[in-house]
């Protein structure tokens, strides 16, 4: 029976009933394995969105009904994330989904990368920039930052490896603002910070502390 496999909880901000898998609450570690993809509703679907998987399958539809717009859905997803933040997020960017994903005509795009972080907001911020989108245009990232989950700002994120927008990446039709110039600026800042940090490492003044690959 479902009641034996889930725990009923209440969303901190929304008050919605959350039927959370007991495995999530009982596990020693939770590793989140999102895929790099677009989403007509949330614009991007990465680490924060993938945690929706905590919710028992049939109960997801009810939460969709109770959170019909992007802002409400973002608050609900943050409530789910607040149940338990995964210890590690590993994102599959070997093959990305672009366009009107995930189920309205999106198309596959070979990228050939793996990204990882201990912080979902950091990972999704880098993901947005790779798509060519300024992170603050993503309601879910704004809400997560306001809830104290992390900073959606590359100035606060340590990057190991090169970060750059994917050329001509197709965004969902619902995202009408495409601030690619700002995304390029943020990516350039991250790479400059990385270069300066590498120089310090070489000179022996700073120990390596990977946060995002």
């Amino acid at each position: 029976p479902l009641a034996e496999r889930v725990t009923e909880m209440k969303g901190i901000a929304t008050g919605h009933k959350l039927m959370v898998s007991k495995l999530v609450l009982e596990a020693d570690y939770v590793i989140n394995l999102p895929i790099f993809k677009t989403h007509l509703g949330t614009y991007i679907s990465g680490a924060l969105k993938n945690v929706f998987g905590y919710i028992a399958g049939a109960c997801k539809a009810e939460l969709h009904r109770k959170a019909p717009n992007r802002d409400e859905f973002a608050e609900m997803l943050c409530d789910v994330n607040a149940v338990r933040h995964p210890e590690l997020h590993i994102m599959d960017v070997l093959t990305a989904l672009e366009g009107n994903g995930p189920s309205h005509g999106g198309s596959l795009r070979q990228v050939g990368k793996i990204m990882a972080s201990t912080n979902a907001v950091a990972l999704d911020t880098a993901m947005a920039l790779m798509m060519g989108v300024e992170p603050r245009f993503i309601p879910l990232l704004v809400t997560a930052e306001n809830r104290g989950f992390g900073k959606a700002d590359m100035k606060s994120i340590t990057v190991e490896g090169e970060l750059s927008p994917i050329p001509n990446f197709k965004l969902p039709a619902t995202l009408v603002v495409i601030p690619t110039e700002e995304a390029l600026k943020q990516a350039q800042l991250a790479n400059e910070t990385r270069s300066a940090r590498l120089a310090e490492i070489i000179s022996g003044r700073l120990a390596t502390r990977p946060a995002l690959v």
Side-chain angles (χ1 to χ4, degrees):
L2 181 63
E4 296 179 1
R5 293 182 283 117
V6 300
T7 297
E8 182 176 326
M9 306 183 74
K10 185 177 182 180
I12 296 173
T14 64
H16 295 330
K17 181 172 67 174
L18 307 176
M19 303 301 287
V20 179
S21 169
K22 288 183 178 179
L23 292 175
V24 171
L25 303 174
E26 296 170 356
D28 293 329
Y29 299 95
V30 173
I31 299 176
N32 185 21
L33 302 174
I35 296 173
F36 188 107
K37 60 187 177 183
T38 53
H39 193 287
L40 280 172
T42 56
Y43 301 143
I44 69 171
S45 179
L48 289 165
K49 173 68 166 58
N50 203 52
V51 171
F52 198 37
Y54 285 179
I55 304 299
C59 302
K60 291 187 178 74
E62 178 65 13
L63 289 174
H64 272 285
R65 186 186 67 78
K66 291 181 177 179
N69 61 58
R70 289 186 183 87
D71 290 337
E72 292 181 42
F73 196 71
E75 287 287 3
M76 181 273 294
L77 282 177
C78 285
D79 276 351
V80 177
N81 275 266
V83 168
R84 177 172 182 175
H85 296 285
E87 279 69 31
L88 179 64
H89 310 268
I90 303 174
M91 183 177 288
D92 181 355
V93 202
L94 295 172
T95 302
L97 182 68
E98 63 180 354
N100 294 329
S103 57
H104 295 80
S107 55
L108 298 179
R109 175 80 176 266
Q110 298 302 312
V111 179
K113 291 181 180 292
I114 294 291
M115 299 168 64
S117 179
T118 55
N119 185 274
V121 177
L123 190 57
D124 283 359
T125 295
M127 175 188 180
L129 291 170
M130 287 179 67
M131 288 184 177
V133 180
E134 214 287 308
R136 296 188 185 280
F137 279 82
I138 307 298
L140 180 54
L141 280 173
V142 174
T143 302
E145 183 178 72
N146 290 340
R147 297 275 290 268
F149 295 172
K151 292 288 187 180
D153 185 345
M154 292 309 303
K155 295 177 182 177
S156 303
I157 300 170
T158 301
V159 176
E160 298 289 345
E162 183 179 354
L163 175 68
S164 59
I166 300 171
N168 304 312
F169 191 84
K170 298 176 184 177
L171 297 170
T174 49
L175 182 55
V176 294
V177 179
I178 310 175
T180 308
E181 183 177 345
E182 181 61 25
L184 285 166
K185 189 185 302 181
Q186 290 264 2
Q188 182 180 7
L189 174 64
N191 289 327
E192 289 175 353
T193 302
R194 170 177 171 269
S195 297
R197 185 165 173 270
L198 284 174
E200 291 182 356
I201 292 171
I202 292 171
S203 65
R205 292 198 299 268
L206 182 67
T208 56
R209 292 175 297 170
L212 178 67
V213 177

